[in-house]
Amino acid sequence: MYKKSAPLLFVAPYVVLFTVFIIVPVVMAMALSFTNFDAIQRPQFIGLLNFTNLFTQDLIFLQFVLPNAILFAVIVGPGGYALAFFIAWSLAQVNKGPRTVLALCMYTPSMTAGVAIAVLWQIIFLGNPQGYLNGLLINWGIITEPINFMVNADYILPIIIVVSLWSSMGVGFLAMLAGVLNVNPELYEAAAIDGVKSRLQEVFYITIPSMKPQMLFGAVMSIVGAFQAGAIGVALTGANPTPHYAGQLMVNHIDDYGFIRYEMGYASAVSIVLLGIIFGFSSMSRRVFKED
Amino acid sequence: MNRTNPKRFSKDQIPLYLYLIPLAVFMAAPIVFIVFHAFKPMDELFAHPPRFLVSRPTLDNFTNLFRMAAGATVPLSRYVFNSVVVTFTAVMGTVMFSSMAAFALSKMRWKYAGVLFTINNLALMFVPTAVTIPRYMTITGIGIDNTYFAHILPLMATPVVLFLVKQNMDNQVPNELIEAAHVDGATPWGIYRGVVLPMIRPAIATGAILSFQLVWNNLETSQLFTTSESVRTLAFYMSTLAATGGIAGQGMAAAAGLFMFVPNLLLFIVMQSRVMNTMAHSGLK
């Protein structure tokens, strides 16, 4: 057999990169979250003060960021996840040719995430009659004055949610599509004999239980997607903080404190809370889709 | 009862098409819009009411884009060169290091394999933007800021690629085959190169696509880890053009967006059957 050192040599390059760029930053964020640090002077240890401030004093966080983040995460997370499963399940029931084309249409937007293509949405939601949506609405006589979508607090969050949902059919969606397609057909036949009658029963008793691993993978991807969003709001409105904090999400709050106010310790505390939330939700979904 | 993966069209499918087609149109429309927008002449960009289709397509936006780039401090070719070098290196590195690690975790029996894979699974939840600050400090700390390495190395640690490749090795490469190769006297490296890699080509292709999308489209590494224009990437430059804004900039920005997006799309179309094959074996347990 191979030498004892062989596995170590094979994992070494990956483990080194993983440690330097994932583990070290997370550990540093944990350490900094207990400090007051302005990036110039040495960090000062202040215990849990950052965390208590975050949940008791930070009005922007409590009034805007947290409610925005929860609303956003609920719609884009579970909402986007359910939608992705529903689309995957529907696509699995049409012929291969059309299915490939339709699946490509669904997946394509996810490839635009974070690209210079944010400009597309700026053109569509431009706040004057030259903006595509404004132009259309005026032309149809629905509105007379253009709506300043990117400044008006009522529109910013809904727009961010729609754009995020639009681009959320990524690898998780593809995994679920592959999962539905690979359910053993004999299971459906057996279930029909056992008295499973409606399509809905079939989905819950056969399809989902047979593809738990893909469901879980999709769930984790959805949760991560729902909480790491933030760049799109800044790209659309051209400002962090977004106007009236209307599109402010956790990630934006971190950037606001870290790169604009230079309160690195506080920003790190928010990061840790964010990672904790993601971890909590992922553990929950792990429990739901555990293989018996 | 079961209608999954039908061989031919039947009437049952009509209701599905009734919502799948409009949904696909909604998903694809913004992309099609930007394609048309990129080819619109000035008067059509300004048209009121705005039009979806282009009636007299022109390459003006692209020529303007390149003309403007010619006046920049750093020539466009430099950004293109940077992006190509960075993307190529990062994709190759990701695929190679992830598959090597996956081989050790999937096919070698040793003490820490399970723990490492669990840690990697936890890292699927890792959100790089959440720890931008310590990441920045790490990168300046090891002194790779303002170099190509600042674009390449951080993006080479992608837990999802290791995860996909490892799951596929578990399912696609029989252990008996590895043992047989051992008996024949093959070295671990020989088995990895000669036996395992050829059997998991679809997973490798999928990992490469995911890595490509991550690196090619990435703005953050340029924004955060570099200060000198000469090491920044095309994605970053294109996004600064988009930010120039205004109606005149719109056509150019659309052209720039298209320019960045098309490589993603082509690559995915070429590889899509391999991606689907990989995903079938990629559940999280």
Side-chain angles (χ1 to χ4, degrees):
Chain A
M1 287 300 264
Y2 49 80
K3 287 199 208 84
K4 270 245 165 76
S5 60
L8 291 178
L9 292 176
F10 272 95
V11 295
Y14 183 84
V15 168
V16 168
L17 290 168
F18 185 90
T19 310
V20 173
F21 296 107
I22 297 181
I23 296 186
V24 168
V26 171
V27 172
M28 275 169 82
M30 282 178 186
L32 285 175
S33 68
F34 300 110
T35 68
N36 191 357
F37 181 43
D38 60 4
I40 299 164
Q41 278 159 335
R42 283 177 61 84
Q44 272 176 302
F45 181 78
I46 53 167
L48 289 171
L49 193 63
N50 286 327
F51 293 95
T52 43
N53 281 348
L54 179 64
F55 288 107
T56 57
Q57 310 279 311
D58 188 342
L59 288 181
I60 293 169
F61 179 74
L62 296 172
Q63 268 187 333
F64 302 104
V65 179
L66 200 57
N68 285 351
I70 292 171
L71 181 67
F72 180 92
V74 167
I75 298 178
V76 178
Y81 179 56
L83 190 65
F85 174 76
F86 179 69
I87 295 176
W89 176 79
S90 308
L91 281 175
Q93 298 170 62
V94 303
N95 305 21
K96 186 150 195 262
R99 185 204 306 145
T100 307
V101 176
L102 291 169
L104 183 66
C105 291
M106 309 288 179
Y107 178 75
T108 302
S110 76
M111 287 189 266
T112 67
V115 197
I117 221 160
V119 65
L120 157 73
W121 298 103
Q122 286 171 345
I123 297 167
I124 291 180
F125 293 115
L126 203 64
N128 58 42
Q130 259 78 40
Y132 189 73
L133 190 59
N134 270 318
L136 277 186
L137 292 174
I138 291 173
N139 196 37
W140 291 338
I142 298 171
I143 54 173
T144 49
E145 287 293 307
I147 300 169
N148 210 339
F149 291 109
M150 286 307 139
V151 178
N152 191 323
D154 295 339
Y155 293 101
I156 295 174
L157 191 60
I159 288 174
I160 296 175
I161 289 176
V162 170
V163 173
S164 302
L165 271 181
W166 174 76
S167 64
S168 69
M169 302 294 147
V171 274
F173 160 71
L174 292 183
M176 287 197 277
L177 176 55
V180 183
L181 286 171
N182 281 303
V183 176
N184 184 353
E186 286 167 18
L187 288 177
Y188 291 109
E189 286 156 31
I193 296 165
D194 287 348
V196 166
K197 287 202 185 61
S198 72
R199 309 300 316 272
L200 202 63
Q201 279 181 324
E202 210 179 73
V203 167
F204 282 104
Y205 292 118
I206 310 295
T207 314
I208 293 179
S210 324
M211 53 178 279
K212 274 183 180 172
Q214 277 85 6
M215 294 299 286
L216 180 56
F217 180 68
V220 173
M221 292 294 119
S222 291
I223 294 164
V224 172
F227 284 102
Q228 77 173 352
I232 186 73
V234 176
L236 285 175
T237 59
N240 185 11
T242 48
H244 313 289
Y245 293 100
Q248 209 73 353
L249 299 173
M250 297 281 279
V251 171
N252 307 118
H253 202 56
I254 296 171
D255 285 351
D256 183 10
Y257 272 91
F259 291 106
I260 298 169
R261 306 182 201 215
Y262 286 102
E263 294 186 29
M264 304 284 187
Y266 192 74
S268 299
V270 185
S271 313
I272 294 304
V273 170
L274 175 59
L275 291 178
I277 293 174
I278 296 175
F279 179 72
F281 280 108
S282 300
S283 314
M284 260 166 54
S285 25
R286 215 166 274 258
R287 207 155 300 153
V288 173
F289 294 114
K290 214 171 139 190
E291 296 264 35
D292 334 277
Chain B
M1 186 92 177
N2 167 47
R3 291 162 218 170
T4 303
N5 204 0
K7 293 281 170 287
R8 59 177 65 83
F9 179 79
S10 71
K11 266 191 289 181
D12 306 341
Q13 295 178 23
I14 292 174
L16 298 166
Y17 282 116
L18 282 182
Y19 61 83
L20 282 175
I21 291 174
L23 198 62
V25 169
F26 170 78
M27 298 295 273
I31 310 271
V32 179
F33 175 73
I34 205 160
V35 174
F36 285 132
H37 218 70
F39 293 101
K40 281 178 188 164
M42 201 52 91
D43 60 316
E44 287 185 45
L45 289 172
F46 279 108
H48 187 79
R51 259 172 291 169
F52 189 82
L53 300 172
V54 52
S55 43
R56 288 174 298 109
T58 153
L59 287 174
D60 283 359
N61 294 318
F62 291 90
T63 45
N64 286 342
L65 183 70
F66 294 119
R67 195 175 306 140
M68 184 155 153
T73 45
V74 172
L76 183 68
S77 55
R78 179 71 196 225
Y79 293 108
V80 175
F81 176 78
N82 290 351
S83 271
V84 170
V85 170
V86 162
T87 309
F88 181 79
T89 318
V91 169
M92 295 311 270
T94 304
V95 164
M96 181 166 164
F97 293 160
S98 305
S99 60
M100 279 166 60
F103 175 59
L105 297 185
S106 172
K107 297 298 170 204
M108 291 177 160
R109 247 168 263 130
W110 58 300
K111 216 158 107 194
Y112 300 110
V115 183
L116 282 179
F117 191 58
T118 309
I119 295 175
N120 191 70
N121 277 355
L122 285 176
L124 287 177
M125 303 169 217
F126 176 66
V127 178
T129 46
V131 292
T132 309
I133 298 155
R135 266 196 148 194
Y136 169 80
M137 297 197 297
T138 314
I139 281 159
T140 48
I142 54 178
I144 56 166
D145 53 319
N146 251 334
T147 68
Y148 285 159
F149 292 118
H151 301 292
I152 298 169
L153 297 179
L155 300 183
M156 269 169 40
T158 29
V160 73
V161 176
L162 171 59
F163 169 78
L164 293 176
V165 176
K166 195 257 181 192
Q167 295 298 77
N168 275 267
M169 271 187 206
D170 288 352
N171 288 316
Q172 308 284 76
V173 185
N175 291 333
E176 294 75 29
L177 210 61
I178 308 277
E179 276 150 33
H182 263 308
V183 174
D184 290 347
T187 61
W189 182 257
I191 297 172
Y192 161 76
R193 285 281 308 152
V195 180
V196 176
L197 274 192
M199 292 184 74
I200 52 151
R201 282 209 191 106
I204 297 286
T206 307
I209 286 190
L210 294 180
S211 169
F212 176 88
Q213 291 173 1
L214 187 72
V215 185
W216 176 256
N217 298 334
N218 200 297
L219 303 174
E220 285 86 9
T221 55
S222 290
Q223 277 167 350
L224 299 167
F225 310 145
T226 66
T227 48
S228 147
E229 281 301 316
S230 61
V231 293
R232 289 183 156 168
T233 59
L234 190 63
F236 174 80
Y237 179 64
M238 291 295 185
S239 76
T240 58
L241 281 188
T244 0
I247 297 286
Q250 255 195 33
M252 268 199 303
L258 193 61
F259 199 83
M260 290 307 297
F261 173 69
V262 165
N264 290 298
L265 183 65
L266 291 182
L267 204 59
F268 183 75
I269 291 177
V270 173
M271 309 271 205
Q272 63 88 18
S273 66
R274 266 167 276 197
V275 174
M276 287 313 289
N277 180 315
T278 308
M279 290 304 168
H281 302 284
S282 304
L284 191 54
K285 280 169 197 158

